Amino acid sequence: MRTSRAALALPLAFAAVLGLSACAGDDAPEETTSASSVEKPAAEETPVEEEAEPAAAGTGDKPAWAASNEVVGTQLGTAEGDGFTVDVYQVSTAVATKTGQFADESGKPILNPGDEIVFVNYVLTNTGDADLPLSYTIVGVDARYGDWPYMQGMDSIVDSALFEAAGVVDSPVAPGSGEAPFVLAPGQSVAYGENFKYQPGSPIEFEVTVTPADASGDLNHDLRQEVTLAATIS
């Protein structure tokens, strides 16, 4: 579990109630070669066996209820639990189009239009031999820089166009997929992404929580698992 921090980030709406400052809300050119003036007999070519590329992590089948299982970006690492893995990918950067969702104690937004943000993608894969029933949350990931000064998690920008441009979805469950539990069969994967302030070269920790659901779709906290991944944003 994370230790408490001194500073406090507040939802912008709550900050406004307290009288704090409000926030508005290539293709490469084709190479050519010249023929030699003296033709040489063609050497007998020995067939070269192509090496099979290793399978990328998190490329299992997508369950019908999942919005995506796409692997995009550069892998930062894998958080491994008992019967599951969560692969974390750094995808791309973008410019914030609006203010974030939180303000500091003085009412100043943590994220502002024009700030650079980075997208990451999380891919949960069932590596066990039994079905993994899940709630609407599917998998929770709390990403924090080592120097993040607030008790709350890192702020993000809600903009569907930015998510689409990054090639990630902001919710793991596709609309109209029915009620929990959402079953992730052995070998299946589901993905979703998020964004936060871009701090290149910064150490970051991803705290992953997977809590299976019971037959009614309610969380079974007795089976809850928490695993962490330490990485660095490039």
Side-chain angles (χ1 to χ4, degrees), residues 42-133:
E44 184 177 346
E45 295 185 359
T46 302
V48 178
E49 294 185 4
E50 293 185 2
E51 295 184 4
E53 294 185 2
T59 54
D61 294 335
K62 181 173 73 70
W65 52 263
S68 173
N69 70 336
E70 293 295 325
V71 173
V72 291
T74 301
Q75 188 170 4
L76 296 178
T78 300
E80 185 172 358
D82 183 10
F84 72 88
T85 59
V86 174
D87 299 296
V88 180
Y89 298 85
Q90 181 174 334
V91 182
S92 59
T93 60
V95 175
T97 54
K98 58 182 77 173
T99 54
Q101 305 169 76
F102 295 99
D104 61 19
E105 290 178 308
S106 70
K108 180 181 178 181
I110 295 174
L111 275 177
N112 296 275
D115 288 348
E116 195 169 11
I117 57 176
V118 61
F119 278 87
V120 292
N121 195 40
Y122 308 127
V123 183
L124 167 67
T125 301
N126 181 349
T127 59
D129 55 9
D131 288 347
L132 179 59

Side-chain angles (χ1 to χ4, degrees), residues 126-175:
N126 181 349
T127 59
D129 55 9
D131 288 347
L132 179 59
L134 299 164
S135 69
Y136 289 98
T137 302
I138 305 301
V139 55
V141 184
D142 183 12
R144 299 196 191 197
Y145 288 120
D147 60 356
W148 187 247
Y150 306 105
M151 293 193 322
Q152 282 85 347
M154 296 201 289
D155 202 2
S156 61
I157 299 298
V158 180
D159 186 327
S160 59
L162 291 182
F163 276 87
E164 184 176 354
V168 298
V169 298
D170 61 356
S171 174
V173 180

Side-chain angles (χ1 to χ4, degrees), residues 181-205:
F182 299 103
V183 176
L184 192 67
Q188 289 187 329
S189 296
V190 57
Y192 80 98
E194 68 170 338
N195 64 68
F196 42 76
K197 186 176 181 180
Y198 182 44
Q199 291 186 184
S202 291
I204 189 170
E205 183 177 271

